[in-house]
Amino acid sequence: MVKIEVIQPSEIILPSEYRKLAVRYNNTNIAFNQELINYNVLGKAVSDTSNLDSVASRIYYEYFLAALRDQDFLDTIIELRAADYSETSIKDTLSFSHASEIDTSDYDSYVGVVNSYVLSQYLKMYPTATKNKTSEKILDTEFGLYTAAELKAIADSTGADFLLSLDHFYTRNEIDTNEIFAERYYIATELAEVNALWNIYDLNKNLFHYHYLHKNPITWEGECILPEKALKVVPPRRDAVLNSADISGTEFAHMLIPHWMEVERMYYKSGHVDLKQTNELIKDGQWLEAAKHWKKNISNPNKRIAAKCMFNMALVCEMQNDIEAAIDWVVQSYHVFKEKDEMHAYNCKSYLNILAARKLDFKILDKQMQLVEQQ
């Protein structure tokens, strides 16, 4: 196996004119919150008095911002001063009547009303803390946690095209066991799930454009003889929640922009006298030099060597982003033995599936990059 970097398209398609981003940590669930402090350990509810979600939210946000900047896709990223809701409560005066009056033929004019209503319902399901509050923030009918004047001020001061606001964050944590009867042991599983509510505002149109709830469950597993030993084979709660936060923050940034990611690929090593040197070349990262030796042996009388070299040529082509050539090499490698060598056939089919997915990714990437180049 070898690790290589491949470029992936974004999953969330932002309008092409969105080139300058303002981003804000606006977490309304920053204060210690009695409503959302419980987690589950072996079927029992346990309360966390450490306000761990607040720490996790900052880690999630910082990793998101770092990953966004690392890809250098957007023209400008401006971080706004974080809001502080530690002593501010949310007052919701919105009602369904606001949303029910929408004229669907003119949806663009009412999208802010819909998103504000969705936000209000979400905050009813997962309310913020109410104790020790000295001020309040009233939800706006069209702009949620902002007002038209506040958004205009952000647009004027930053020149940004859109605002990405992290408006609510909490985590879910569970530890449980599952008995494996035949083997007489238990599988302990820990879940740490991030729930981050993002709202996106079009600053050019002064519009609450849309919202996105990023839910990312991450699990750990371990084996134990007795269920009460489960806590010894999975991470401590704090480690699991905070690790989930940093992983999830990076993941959400990658959902918004094309990004490079590390993946594993298989290649064939060989003890053949003409190919032994390729092992050292690969260790030094000299794949193109190794490819010269493989290409010389694609017609080798020894069919096994020929098939391996064809397969490895596919990997080199993928590294060069020539997916069509990579597919062609894998197909040639498969046809050397077809189904007579089951393992080789499996390797070829598996790689073809990967390359087919990458081919589709490249089509999406081409569209995304063309939109950027047109700006």
Side-chain angles (χ1 to χ4, degrees), residues 156-333:
D156 292 343
S157 63
T158 64
D161 298 310
F162 68 117
L163 166 65
L164 187 57
S165 182
L166 176 58
D167 286 349
H168 192 277
F169 181 99
Y170 79 96
T171 63
R172 185 165 67 92
N173 183 225
E174 296 179 359
I175 299 174
D176 213 339
T177 58
N178 182 35
E179 186 175 3
I180 309 300
F181 292 100
E183 304 295 334
R184 295 177 177 271
Y185 69 91
Y186 292 82
I187 296 292
T189 303
E190 178 165 12
L191 166 76
E193 179 185 78
V194 156
N195 292 264
L197 181 66
W198 291 91
N199 289 311
I200 299 180
Y201 295 84
D202 188 323
L203 297 178
N204 295 325
K205 299 178 181 178
N206 210 13
L207 178 70
F208 187 173
H209 196 57
Y210 54 83
H211 64 274
Y212 186 86
L213 176 60
H214 181 218
K215 299 182 70 169
N216 190 33
I218 296 175
T219 58
W220 291 262
E221 287 188 350
E223 297 179 6
C224 54
I225 302 299
L226 299 171
E228 53 265 31
K229 301 293 184 181
L231 297 181
K232 294 186 179 296
V233 296
V234 293
R237 165 174 159 76
R238 183 179 180 85
D239 290 352
V241 170
L242 298 187
N243 286 342
S244 176
D246 67 53
I247 293 170
S248 300
T250 301
E251 181 200 66
F252 185 63
H254 289 170
M255 291 174 69
L256 288 173
I257 56 175
H259 57 279
W260 290 94
M261 65 179 293
E262 192 174 70
V263 296
E264 283 194 334
R265 294 287 189 264
M266 189 206 87
Y267 73 95
Y268 284 110
K269 296 176 71 173
S270 177
H272 188 271
V273 64
D274 293 335
L275 297 176
K276 276 186 177 181
Q277 56 192 311
T278 62
N279 298 332
E280 292 302 317
L281 290 170
I282 291 170
K283 286 181 181 178
D284 294 333
Q286 299 184 54
W287 286 90
L288 292 178
E289 289 299 315
K292 293 177 182 178
H293 296 278
W294 291 327
K295 197 165 185 179
K296 288 178 182 177
N297 284 275
I298 59 175
S299 299
N300 194 301
N302 185 325
K303 289 186 176 182
R304 191 161 299 280
I305 292 174
K308 289 179 178 181
C309 289
M310 292 173 187
F311 189 96
N312 290 353
M313 285 298 297
L315 178 56
V316 175
C317 288
E318 185 191 6
M319 289 179 175
Q320 300 298 309
N321 290 328
D322 191 344
I323 304 302
E324 291 292 351
I327 291 173
D328 185 58
W329 280 118
V330 178
V331 170
Q332 289 187 58
S333 182

Side-chain angles (χ1 to χ4, degrees), residues 65-94:
L65 197 56
L68 205 62
R69 286 174 168 157
D70 184 57
Q71 298 300 325
D72 196 28
F73 179 74
L74 294 164
D75 293 343
T76 308
I77 300 173
I78 303 159
E79 184 182 10
L80 302 179
R81 183 178 179 181
D84 184 1
Y85 284 89
S86 57
E87 297 180 0
T88 302
S89 62
I90 308 300
K91 185 175 181 180
D92 181 4
T93 60
L94 277 61

Side-chain angles (χ1 to χ4, degrees), residues 79-111:
E79 184 182 10
L80 302 179
R81 183 178 179 181
D84 184 1
Y85 284 89
S86 57
E87 297 180 0
T88 302
S89 62
I90 308 300
K91 185 175 181 180
D92 181 4
T93 60
L94 277 61
S95 66
F96 179 69
S97 61
H98 291 109
S100 64
E101 295 171 359
I102 290 176
D103 178 2
T104 55
S105 64
D106 188 22
Y107 182 75
D108 285 348
S109 299
Y110 290 92
V111 64

Side-chain angles (χ1 to χ4, degrees), residues 147-161:
T147 64
E150 288 171 338
L151 292 177
K152 186 177 185 306
I154 292 172
D156 292 343
S157 63
T158 64
D161 298 310

